[in-house]
Amino acid sequence: MASHTHDDGSDGPTEAAGAIHIEDLTKQFDTDEGVERVFENVDIDIEPGSFVTLLGRSGSGKSTILKLVSGVMKPTSGDIWFEPDNVEIGYVFQSPRLLPWNTCLDNIEFVHEHNPGYTEEMGKEYLDLVGLSEHYHKYPSQLSGGQRQRVGIARALSIDPDILLMDEPFSNLDEITAEELRAELLSIWQQLNKTIFFVTHDIDEAIELSDRILMLGEGQIYADLEVTLERPRSLDSEEFLAFRQRAIDTFHDV
């Protein structure tokens, strides 16, 4: 992750969001059996400050799209651009990928090696944001799975990204912990006004979190659902269950 210093010289999180534009995106891989096309001519526009989820089955190419957006992978063809041009992008992985020999604070400092404006107090502020104010100096082995993922989220937020990419970040957690983290993520998103591009295969999670749900299958974005349910969303409300059934029906169209 790249380092970032705030334009106003402040140390805390700022409200900054970027737009994502994807046009005619195609990705294919060369394999022993020939060319494998993951998706073709995908178009996506994500507005600043929105929470958009990419929903699809395993192997549909969801994570590949995130990698292309982040720049760690190159498309076969098509274009990806941002507004503003110089956006900062944070990435939260399915597993937190913490350095086991580093404390929570040290894991955050690690992504700021080339940021002379970084201070330990900044790291503490982001750990506070995800509820880890009592765990600054603990090592990953001393944390629960949910706490380790919180460190991963704090690390991504610590570069003050305009866009936050999240690749199934709660899929390895028990459901109680995952639900707690979803609620915390929504609170942080509403507080900081970041653009979030989220990947999941869980329909309930997508509905609970998102402004929009993009469904990826058979190499195409085949549905774009606007989620107009009021927040906070109760998974057992009539409105939620009705929208869930509509989403399931649409999901199984492919």
Side-chain angles (χ1 to χ4, degrees):
M1 295 175 187
S3 62
H4 181 87
T5 53
H6 302 168
D7 293 337
D8 62 2
S10 64
D11 291 336
T14 63
E15 293 187 10
I20 305 171
H21 302 290
I22 298 172
E23 184 175 358
D24 291 332
L25 192 68
T26 296
K27 182 62 182 177
Q28 60 188 34
F29 297 98
D30 294 323
T31 69
D32 293 339
E33 290 75 31
V35 174
E36 177 187 347
R37 181 160 291 175
V38 184
F39 44 76
E40 183 177 19
N41 303 128
V42 166
D43 295 320
I44 299 173
D45 287 297
I46 296 178
E47 295 299 316
S50 61
F51 196 128
V52 177
T53 293
L54 188 60
L55 178 70
R57 294 181 172 86
S58 297
S60 61
K62 305 184 301 297
S63 296
T64 300
I65 287 181
L66 280 199
K67 290 174 183 175
L68 293 168
V69 171
S70 73
V72 301
M73 184 182 287
K74 300 300 181 184
T76 303
S77 62
D79 295 304
I80 301 172
W81 72 98
F82 307 97
E83 293 180 83
D85 294 334
N86 59 337
V87 293
E88 198 73 61
I89 297 177
Y91 208 123
V92 179
F93 303 95
Q94 187 169 349
S95 58
R97 301 187 184 184
L98 304 179
L99 298 176
W101 53 86
N102 278 355
T103 64
C104 293
L105 266 177
D106 292 339
N107 267 285
I108 292 180
E109 182 180 359
F110 181 77
V111 299
H112 294 273
E113 285 183 318
H114 305 293
N115 177 10
Y118 176 80
T119 66
E120 186 176 278
E121 289 307 309
M122 288 173 62
K124 289 180 178 179
E125 183 170 358
Y126 285 98
L127 289 170
D128 292 347
L129 189 65
V130 297
L132 293 178
S133 57
E134 305 297 321
H135 303 281
Y136 298 152
H137 303 294
K138 288 187 178 178
Y139 292 89
S141 62
Q142 298 173 298
L143 303 174
S144 68
Q147 289 170 335
R148 288 193 291 270
Q149 194 60 289
R150 285 181 171 91
V151 178
I153 293 171
R155 180 182 57 195
L157 288 171
S158 74
I159 66 167
D160 196 24
D162 307 287
I163 295 167
L164 189 62
L165 307 178
M166 307 190 76
D167 189 2
E168 302 198 55
F170 310 138
S171 62
N172 291 334
L173 304 175
D174 65 86
E175 182 53 32
I176 293 174
T177 302
E179 184 56 35
E180 290 175 352
L181 281 174
R182 290 184 199 113
E184 290 178 16
L185 174 61
L186 284 173
S187 176
I188 291 169
W189 169 65
Q190 290 167 334
Q191 178 181 343
L192 299 184
N193 189 38
K194 305 297 182 184
T195 302
I196 296 183
F197 193 16
F198 191 96
V199 158
T200 187
H201 60 264
D202 184 327
I203 289 179
D204 286 350
E205 180 173 67
I207 299 170
E208 182 179 0
L209 294 175
S210 313
D211 295 325
R212 286 168 61 209
I213 300 172
L214 309 177
M215 295 186 180
L216 178 66
E218 301 295 327
Q220 302 285 335
I221 299 290
Y222 65 92
D224 183 346
L225 304 182
E226 182 181 4
V227 187
T228 57
L229 304 177
E230 291 187 8
R231 302 180 190 274
R233 295 168 182 166
S234 172
L235 275 64
D236 56 2
S237 70
E238 290 184 13
E239 294 82 5
F240 189 99
L241 293 173
F243 190 94
R244 180 179 187 272
Q245 188 57 55
R246 175 190 165 202
I248 289 173
D249 292 343
T250 304
F251 187 75
H252 290 297
D253 283 346
V254 169

